[in-house]
Amino acid sequence: MNYRKIGTSNKPNQAGLDVSVITFGAWAAGGWMWGGTERNEAVKAIRVSYDVGVTSIDTAPIYGQGLSEEIVGEAIKDIPRDKVQILTKFGMRWDLAKGDFAMHSKKNDGQAIDIYRYAGKESIVKECEDSLRRLGTDYIDLYQIHWPDTTTPIGETMEAVSRLIEQGKVRYAGVCNYNADQMREAEKYIHLASNQVPYSMVKRDIEKQTVPYCIEHGKAILAYSPLERGLLTGKMKPGHQFAPDDHRAKLFFYKDENLKRVDVFLDKIKPLADDKKATIGQLVLRWTVEQPGITIALVGARDAKQALENAAAMDIHLSNEEINFITGHLNQLELVP
């Protein structure tokens, strides 16, 4: 496994945080919006990932309404705390009707809930304490606002996180789904380590503004959904059936026509994967973390087998010519909305 540093600054007490380039993404582990979860399998997936060098885990309270964080806490309880990096989030409440309404949803048990994006000071303090309890730790390595909240000034949000850093409950501050202007505003109040944003072969819009800003200002980019939630593994074919509560069924990426077009692209790069003795998914992940400005890739796994496959992506070497070969075919891929 390779590691990259995030959160470096001129402050003498901030040496930076070393994170595994393949970081375990624990959204699916919580089951929410993924058609449920198998807790024991999720715990095993995290533990085997750690055994092969995936020391960083990204989670959030909203993933299973606390379940994902509890699973992460269970998985790491026997690992020395300084050997694992916990990345979690705040700012999505399912138990408080305040802030920006985000969506109607359901818990894993089918109970209807309304979710709000809210990042007021008192809410952040409560969320941090709840996360620490569920995770079974006394500090969070990287604490990230999950989505922008237009009802709360960015300054108020970041000052609350600064206080948590002063108290030793948080080491570094990050954001998720922020654009360059929002990052610029946040930087007036706190030193940001990173921005976690969606990025994959079929979703590259951050290359226009977010990536240039982060490169210029030394901010890490944590790319989530790099396999586009399974689309880029080569395992999804036209007619694929999702579980009843799986959110992917409603996304345009998974229309039969787009599954066909993606398969054509993947067939073109499969010989390279075969030559590397790698899966298509591993080749996609390696390409992703070699893109300018992309620091790490957050990758989910439902079981130990998937987790080991994801980690092994870093065993692949791609030359500049091979990266350009993949990108050339990718640039010919067009999906229908």
Side-chain angles (χ1 to χ4, degrees):
M1 182 54 58
N2 295 350
Y3 303 85
R4 292 175 180 170
K5 193 177 293 292
I6 69 173
T8 54
S9 75
N10 295 325
K11 297 180 181 179
N13 63 334
Q14 283 195 320
L17 182 69
D18 290 321
V19 291
S20 50
V21 175
I22 298 296
T23 287
F24 191 100
W27 178 10
W32 176 67
M33 296 180 70
W34 288 89
T37 189
E38 213 306 304
R39 185 179 184 124
N40 290 337
E41 288 298 321
V43 169
K44 290 178 184 176
I46 294 171
R47 288 178 175 168
V48 300
S49 293
Y50 176 80
D51 290 340
V52 294
V54 177
T55 60
S56 308
I57 308 164
D58 179 84
T59 182
I62 193 63
Y63 300 158
Q65 294 70 58
L67 179 59
S68 177
E69 286 188 327
E70 291 176 359
I71 287 173
V72 171
E74 180 180 346
I76 67 171
K77 64 182 180 181
D78 296 324
I79 300 173
R81 180 61 184 85
D82 63 345
K83 301 299 183 183
V84 65
Q85 301 82 48
I86 298 175
L87 290 54
T88 194
K89 311 178 188 75
F90 64 89
M92 292 194 79
R93 297 290 298 269
W94 64 93
D95 54 348
L96 178 68
K98 198 170 184 178
D100 288 322
F101 175 74
M103 70 181 87
H104 299 295
S105 187
K106 292 181 180 179
K107 292 186 175 181
N108 289 339
D109 63 5
Q111 178 185 345
I113 51 175
D114 289 338
I115 299 171
Y116 290 80
R117 298 173 182 172
Y118 181 58
K121 177 182 177 182
E122 297 305 321
S123 182
I124 294 171
V125 172
K126 177 189 186 308
E127 286 201 68
C128 184
E129 293 299 329
D130 289 345
S131 289
L132 291 172
R133 173 178 48 79
R134 287 188 290 255
L135 291 162
T137 186
D138 57 1
Y139 71 91
I140 294 162
D141 293 284
L142 181 68
Y143 205 36
Q144 311 157 91
I145 181 170
H146 205 147
W147 284 91
D149 163 27
T150 65
T151 71
T152 304
I154 288 177
E156 176 185 337
T157 298
M158 297 306 156
E159 286 171 359
V161 178
S162 291
R163 180 62 60 88
L164 293 172
I165 291 175
E166 292 171 3
Q167 295 171 350
K169 296 175 181 178
V170 169
R171 293 184 64 196
Y172 295 93
V175 296
C176 303
N177 304 298
Y178 263 37
N179 60 35
D181 288 340
Q182 290 165 330
M183 292 187 72
R184 194 174 289 109
E185 175 67 17
E187 280 279 328
K188 296 177 182 178
Y189 308 95
I190 200 169
H191 175 76
L192 293 179
S194 58
N195 190 4
Q196 183 178 147
V197 284
Y199 182 75
S200 73
M201 285 181 164
V202 295
K203 189 183 290 182
R204 299 168 62 188
D205 53 298
I206 66 165
E207 293 176 353
K208 297 176 182 176
Q209 293 185 348
T210 304
V211 169
Y213 176 88
C214 289
I215 291 175
E216 179 183 355
H217 295 87
K219 307 303 175 187
I221 295 178
L222 317 185
Y224 72 80
S225 299
L227 294 173
E228 206 50 62
R229 308 171 202 194
L231 178 69
L232 295 168
T233 62
K235 298 175 183 178
M236 287 188 175
K237 305 298 179 184
H240 184 90
Q241 296 296 310
F242 293 100
D245 294 328
D246 194 316
H247 70 289
R248 293 175 292 179
K250 299 178 181 179
L251 301 180
F252 80 93
F253 289 110
Y254 308 97
K255 291 181 177 180
D256 278 357
E257 179 59 31
N258 286 333
L259 290 177
K260 291 177 184 176
R261 296 186 181 199
V262 169
D263 276 349
V264 169
F265 159 69
L266 295 178
D267 283 344
K268 292 177 180 177
I269 66 171
K270 187 177 185 302
L272 179 58
D274 292 341
D275 183 60
K276 301 287 183 181
K277 294 181 173 55
T279 66
I280 289 176
Q282 290 169 333
L283 187 69
V284 169
L285 289 175
R286 187 74 221 204
W287 177 92
T288 301
V289 298
E290 295 302 328
Q291 298 310 295
I294 304 301
T295 310
I296 66 173
L298 307 178
V299 197
R302 302 298 290 267
D303 54 42
K305 180 176 182 292
Q306 289 180 359
L308 291 173
E309 284 185 5
N310 295 338
M314 294 310 297
D315 295 335
I316 302 169
H317 172 74
L318 290 178
S319 66
N320 289 335
E321 292 76 11
E322 289 167 334
I323 292 172
N324 292 336
F325 166 80
I326 295 171
T327 305
H329 285 300
L330 177 60
N331 289 340
Q332 300 172 27
L333 172 63
E334 293 185 8
L335 301 185
V336 295

